[in-house]
Amino acid sequence: MTIAIRPAAPDDAEPLARLKLSTFRQTFLEDGFAIPYPPADLAIFEAEAYSADAVRAELADGERRSWVADRDGELLGYAQVGPCKLPHVEVAPGEGELYQLYVLREAQGLRLGAGLLAAALDYLAVARPGPVWLGVWSGNDKAQAVYAARGFEKVGDYRFKVGSWYDEEYIMRRR
């Protein structure tokens, strides 16, 4: 069994869409934080964010980069970066953001998150030098601790839209 951290390719769109949906559900729904999203809002969000077409468009977007943790053709985790779009007054044009970093529950403990994060941060150091930003759910203490250990500090908050529902999020930055 070999696990490789590699750039996502156009052929990854469908399995990556399934992975994104699975990790979102594992993290935020019943088996995770159990956020009580209204079903209609959740359905809209999942269709817009995690369809194969949406992921295909992300992979084709020259401003974004994605990496996957691939175990012999099975995707176990992913990371995605791009230009910062967080609502913070200190965000400057050209600065980068870690959009997403998720690993399937059954693959946690294999250090895939660390590998994916390293790939994303290494890329941003070259492609978008300067501060790196990210948004993290306010109730996800574990993720906040991981980011803090890598030099990120909480610098603000905002509301992340899921249908008509809003999650309270923290904005973190690493200089």
Side-chain angles (χ1 to χ4, degrees), residues 45-163:
F45 176 75
E46 288 183 344
E48 290 175 353
Y50 302 126
S51 70
D53 286 340
V55 173
R56 205 172 280 109
E58 290 173 354
L59 293 174
D61 182 343
E63 294 289 310
R64 295 176 183 239
R65 292 291 181 276
S66 296
W67 295 265
V68 294
D70 182 334
R71 179 176 58 199
D72 302 323
E74 176 188 14
L75 301 186
L76 303 174
Y78 73 98
Q80 184 183 80
V81 300
C84 186
K85 55 186 176 162
L86 290 168
H88 192 280
V89 297
E90 294 178 24
V91 171
E95 293 179 346
E97 179 183 345
L98 175 66
Y99 294 152
Q100 296 169 324
L101 173 63
Y102 290 94
V103 175
L104 286 170
R105 183 172 289 129
E106 58 268 25
Q108 291 178 5
L110 299 176
R111 303 215 23 90
L112 301 178
L116 289 161
L117 182 57
L121 294 177
D122 288 350
Y123 170 81
L124 288 173
V126 174
R128 296 186 175 279
V132 176
W133 300 81
L134 62 84
V136 61
W137 182 55
S138 60
N140 193 341
D141 296 335
K142 182 178 175 183
Q144 292 167 42
V146 166
Y147 296 133
R150 285 158 182 79
F152 286 86
E153 297 176 309
K154 181 184 175 220
V155 294
D157 47 34
Y158 74 109
R159 300 176 81 205
F160 181 82
K161 190 172 169 102
V162 177

Side-chain angles (χ1 to χ4, degrees), residues 3-63:
I3 300 176
I5 305 291
R6 62 169 177 79
D11 289 347
D12 292 318
E14 290 188 25
L16 183 53
R18 288 190 299 273
L19 173 66
K20 286 182 160 207
L21 181 60
S22 293
T23 55
F24 170 78
R25 288 178 175 174
Q26 285 181 350
T27 303
F28 295 108
L29 298 183
E30 296 85 15
D31 293 334
F33 291 112
I35 297 174
Y37 297 116
D41 292 326
L42 181 61
I44 291 166
F45 176 75
E46 288 183 344
E48 290 175 353
Y50 302 126
S51 70
D53 286 340
V55 173
R56 205 172 280 109
E58 290 173 354
L59 293 174
D61 182 343
E63 294 289 310

